[in-house]
Amino acid sequence: MARRSKQGGIAERLDIHSEAGEWCWIGKIPQPPADVLRAAGDPPIRPARRPPLALIATVLGAPFLPLLLLLSLLARGQEASERALDSKEEKARHRAKKEDEKRMEAAVEERGLDNVFDGDWNGGAGQFLLRWYTHSTHHERLLFAGPDGIVFAAPPKRVSSGRDRHARVVARLSPDEATLEDPFSGEFETRILLVRFRDGSWLRVDTEQSRSELHMYALRQAP
């Protein structure tokens, strides 16, 4: 509830009327054809580099990486040991979860959802994607969805901290332009969502939380 109320506070500050909100990101934008890039005004297709302070923190934290790796391996070993002691019902649930993950991975590949968009640079999604880092050089977006459509908020420039505080509205899509869609109709607990444009093209975004409130919103709005 704290997360939701915090995002609600951001929506109120930005005068956004939304029913759901979540931080999300996109995958690496493929290199557009040269003529497409020129026609769009040679926009950036990568986020800005990490700020100097973030780079310094990474350098200072590097000596601790082996320790973190060791702790991660120990945690995995403990988890495996505990799983060996699971009841039959718990083992069955674990196997079912693994099977769901395999089916989801197969569905993602089959539908081409391992790509960041449908591949048509002239479509609504492709054109919007070309402007993604023109709107903001930050690597994440706070996506809001509601009766007024889809709103993207982000710091105008990449920041290493304080993304909520620096967030501003950077793009809007009306309900006539695009809708939010769970491509699996709730079958899988996933982070994947599609921004589906009216011409049928789509843009994939990944939410911080699996089956987030944006997923629930998309399922409620599905025809």
Side-chain angles (χ1 to χ4, degrees):
M1 294 298 293
R3 288 182 68 258
R4 297 179 68 178
S5 61
K6 186 175 184 179
Q7 291 171 359
I10 299 172
E12 184 176 354
R13 174 173 65 82
L14 299 177
D15 195 25
I16 299 171
H17 304 287
S18 72
E19 295 183 22
E22 179 71 33
W23 281 98
C24 64
W25 62 88
I26 62 170
K28 183 179 179 180
I29 299 177
Q31 182 66 35
D35 60 332
V36 170
L37 203 58
R38 282 196 303 272
D42 290 312
I45 57 172
R46 300 287 181 270
R49 293 181 179 180
R50 299 179 69 185
L53 287 177
L55 294 175
I56 292 172
T58 300
V59 171
L60 293 176
F64 298 98
L65 288 178
L67 176 60
L68 293 174
L69 179 59
L70 176 60
L71 292 174
S72 176
L73 290 173
L74 290 173
R76 290 182 184 179
Q78 182 179 357
E79 183 181 349
S81 299
E82 292 174 350
R83 199 154 50 235
L85 300 175
D86 284 347
S87 65
K88 289 183 179 180
E89 291 78 9
E90 289 170 331
K91 288 180 178 179
R93 283 196 295 270
H94 182 70
R95 284 195 299 270
K97 183 179 179 181
K98 287 293 185 183
E99 287 300 318
D100 277 350
E101 289 174 355
K102 289 180 180 178
R103 290 194 299 114
M104 189 190 78
E105 289 172 3
V108 166
E109 185 175 355
E110 179 184 353
R111 303 180 194 185
L113 298 179
D114 45 352
N115 299 306
V116 69
F117 81 122
D118 62 286
D120 181 5
W121 289 108
N122 294 313
Q127 289 295 303
F128 188 78
L129 189 61
L130 284 169
R131 302 191 300 275
W132 187 267
Y133 292 116
T134 301
H135 296 152
S136 164
T137 59
H138 194 61
H139 59 297
E140 300 166 312
R141 297 289 186 274
L142 182 50
L143 192 161
F144 291 104
D148 295 335
I150 297 169
V151 179
F152 293 92
K157 296 181 179 181
R158 185 162 184 171
V159 296
S160 57
S161 62
R163 62 180 185 177
D164 292 342
R165 183 175 69 256
H166 294 292
R168 300 289 184 271
V169 173
V170 295
R172 294 179 184 268
L173 293 169
S174 73
D176 291 333
E177 292 178 285
T179 55
L180 204 60
E181 177 183 311
D182 180 340
F184 306 113
S185 302
E187 181 181 359
F188 303 114
E189 187 172 336
T190 176
R191 299 172 186 267
I192 301 173
L193 281 171
L194 299 184
V195 178
R196 175 76 69 175
F197 288 75
R198 288 303 178 188
D199 61 1
S201 61
W202 54 263
L203 168 66
R204 169 179 163 167
V205 298
D206 287 61
T207 58
E208 284 193 339
Q209 297 293 317
S210 297
R211 193 167 285 174
S212 67
E213 63 179 60
L214 284 175
H215 288 81
M216 298 298 101
Y217 172 83
L219 291 174
R220 290 196 303 270
Q221 301 301 311

